[in-house]
């Protein structure tokens, strides 16, 4: 594909800022239009990122702006119709995760789109520099064969002290109405990151709970999985954990038959070399994973290389997510 790559943006909500900064970092890309039902939101983002054309109707934008690709940053219920809309016009798609609310809907969407366009899911945790480093070190054989892993996720993003609004609910208030919440909205990222590090897994057991009574969905999860090589993996997550930061903090222990690798908040340590610590700037890494996902999309379009989070790969992450709910007795 020759440059410039013309890109349109569908969705101007809170998370679009980080997508747009990722696009701004790409050479040879022209942001030609942005669309949102709220014209003022779209105009604000257009002014911030020097986007010439603003729309409130996506079909109108795609027909008039005629982009090469569209970045869909809209609520999950709109993803499938917007992807189909772009595919019908031969426009390549990067779509915010989750691809669809259910595996069945994702399978139908993938079948409908076929090979008509390139289709990547914006699933960005595996592009966070700390998780990318962990994956590289595991692939490099530093821990040998994985025997056991434990991921702990903590934040206060769905609950807060006093009258202050919960961080995540203040940014995305509609989440309070989600019947599927923690696994669907947050742990789906971690499941994908673990797949990128450890390979394919299956869900053995899952228990979900709710601490914040204002929510319809779960904010606590205990999940047990098994890797393709037989290692047991536990995910212990609570995002209504009072006293913790608003953004999730993660701790991942990977115990192998050669060594143990520990990631704790902002540092990675191989226990045989305790003084050799890799420290990460988590604030910088937050934007870096958005930029990394956009770079993956642009590179894939230009070279024809498969996307790391191609729609078929991401379908496996969706299947894990849905398996957690099935094991916990919560159906779609």
């Amino acid at each position: 594909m020759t440059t410039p790559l013309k890109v349109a943006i569908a969705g101007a909500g809170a998370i679009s800022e980080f997508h747009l900064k990722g696009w701004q970092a790409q050479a040879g890309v022209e942001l030609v239009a942005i669309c949102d039902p709220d014209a003022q939101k779209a105009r604000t983002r257009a002014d911030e990122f020097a986007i010439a054309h603003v729309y409130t109707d996506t079909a109108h934008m795609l027909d008039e702006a005629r982009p090469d690709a569209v970045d869909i940053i809209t609520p999950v219920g709109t993803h499938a119709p917007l992807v189909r809309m772009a595919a019908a016009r031969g426009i390549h798609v990067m779509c915010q995760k989750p691809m669809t609310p259910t595996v069945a809907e994702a399978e139908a969407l993938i079948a409908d789109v076929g090979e008509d366009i390139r289709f990547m899911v914006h699933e960005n945790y595996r592009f966070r520099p700390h998780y990318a480093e962990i994956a590289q070190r595991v692939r490099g054989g530093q821990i040998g064969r994985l025997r056991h892993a434990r991921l702990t996720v903590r934040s206060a993003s769905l609950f807060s002290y006093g009258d202050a609004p919960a961080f995540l609910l203040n940014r995305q208030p509609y989440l309070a109405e989600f019947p599927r919440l923690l696994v669907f909205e947050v742990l789906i990222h971690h499941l994908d990151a673990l797949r990128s590090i450890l390979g394919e897994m299956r869900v053995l057991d899952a228990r979900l709970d709710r601490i914040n009574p204002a929510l319809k969905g779960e904010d606590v999860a205990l999940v047990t999985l098994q890797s393709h090589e037989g290692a047991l993996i536990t995910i212990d997550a609570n995002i209504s954990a009072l006293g913790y930061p608003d953004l999730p903090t993660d701790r991942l222990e990977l115990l192998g038959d050669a060594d143990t690798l520990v990631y704790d908040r902002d540092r990675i340590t191989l226990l045989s070399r305790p003084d050799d610590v890799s420290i990460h700037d988590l604030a910088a890494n937050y934007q870096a994973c958005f930029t990394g996902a956009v770079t993956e999309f642009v590179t894939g379009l230009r070279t024809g290389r498969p996307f790391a989070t191609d729609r078929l790969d991401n379908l496996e992450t969706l299947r894990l997510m849905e398996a957690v709910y099935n094991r916990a007795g919560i159906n779609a």
Side-chain angles (χ1 to χ4, degrees):
M1 180 175 292
T2 59
T3 55
L5 178 71
K6 296 194 299 180
V7 176
I9 306 295
I15 207 72
S16 66
E17 173 189 354
F18 304 101
H19 283 249
L20 286 162
K21 286 178 179 177
W23 284 110
Q24 203 172 47
Q26 308 302 314
V29 167
E30 181 185 358
L31 294 174
V32 295
I34 187 167
C35 176
D36 195 279
D38 185 329
Q40 185 54 53
K41 283 185 178 179
R43 171 53 60 193
T44 298
R45 289 287 186 243
D47 291 344
E48 289 172 343
F49 292 93
I51 303 171
H53 300 289
V54 172
Y55 297 85
T56 56
D57 180 82
T58 305
H60 185 200
M61 176 180 72
L62 297 180
D63 288 337
E64 191 168 279
R66 300 174 64 85
D68 300 307
V70 60
D71 186 1
I72 296 172
I73 322 170
T74 59
V76 63
T78 69
H79 290 176
L82 291 179
V83 171
R84 288 185 171 96
M85 183 185 296
R89 292 162 171 80
I91 297 168
H92 304 300
V93 170
M94 181 167 69
C95 179
Q96 178 69 12
K97 70 84 202 170
M99 186 184 343
T100 57
T102 66
V103 169
E105 290 169 281
E107 289 172 338
L109 178 61
I110 289 167
D112 287 348
V113 171
E115 301 297 329
D116 294 343
I117 59 165
R118 300 293 305 280
F119 178 9
M120 172 178 150
V121 178
H122 184 111
E123 173 50 79
N124 61 34
Y125 261 47
R126 66 169 70 192
F127 296 105
R128 292 193 169 192
H130 45 277
Y131 278 124
E133 179 183 330
I134 293 167
Q136 183 179 33
R137 293 172 74 157
V138 169
R139 285 194 295 268
Q142 289 193 4
I143 66 169
R145 179 187 171 194
L146 179 74
R147 303 306 303 271
H148 182 205
R150 183 178 188 89
L151 172 65
T152 305
V153 181
R154 294 285 184 269
S155 83
S157 58
L158 288 179
F159 210 4
S160 60
Y161 295 103
D163 297 328
F167 169 77
L168 199 54
L169 296 181
N170 187 52
R171 192 172 74 175
Q172 298 166 279
Y174 58 84
L175 293 177
E177 301 300 315
F178 274 27
R180 293 176 165 193
L181 185 50
L182 168 57
V183 181
F184 185 84
E185 184 64 21
V186 179
L187 289 187
I188 192 169
H189 286 305
H190 296 84
L191 289 169
D192 190 75
L194 286 175
R195 285 186 59 239
S196 74
I197 296 166
L198 307 178
E200 299 306 333
M201 302 171 289
R202 64 187 182 98
V203 178
L204 301 179
D205 193 26
R207 295 291 184 268
L208 307 179
D209 198 4
R210 178 169 56 246
I211 290 177
N212 185 347
L215 305 174
K216 288 190 176 178
E218 80 284 355
D219 52 13
V220 177
L222 291 173
V223 182
T224 306
L225 309 99
Q226 189 172 42
S227 76
H228 62 294
E229 292 186 345
L232 289 179
I233 302 153
T234 303
I235 300 175
D236 174 355
N238 184 326
I239 57 172
S240 286
L242 294 180
Y244 277 86
D246 288 333
L247 292 174
T249 58
D250 301 344
R251 176 183 169 86
L252 176 62
E253 284 187 283
L254 299 175
L255 295 85
D257 58 12
D259 212 330
T260 294
L261 190 68
V262 177
Y263 164 60
D264 193 0
R265 295 199 180 196
D266 64 348
R267 56 199 59 215
I268 301 170
T269 310
L270 194 66
L271 294 193
S272 66
R273 303 202 300 267
D275 296 329
D276 183 11
V277 179
S278 174
I279 299 178
H280 285 261
D281 180 343
L282 297 186
N285 284 7
Y286 186 76
Q287 178 58 53
C289 71
F290 286 88
T291 303
V294 174
T295 301
E296 176 74 10
F297 183 62
V298 171
T299 302
L301 288 184
R302 287 181 171 151
T303 65
R305 187 183 74 187
F307 304 126
T309 55
D310 175 79
R311 83 279 191 223
L312 294 176
D313 181 89
N314 189 254
L315 184 60
E316 297 307 315
T317 299
L318 278 181
R319 285 174 174 149
L320 276 181
M321 178 270 292
E322 199 156 275
V324 171
Y325 285 111
N326 290 339
R327 286 288 185 179
I330 298 175
N331 298 316

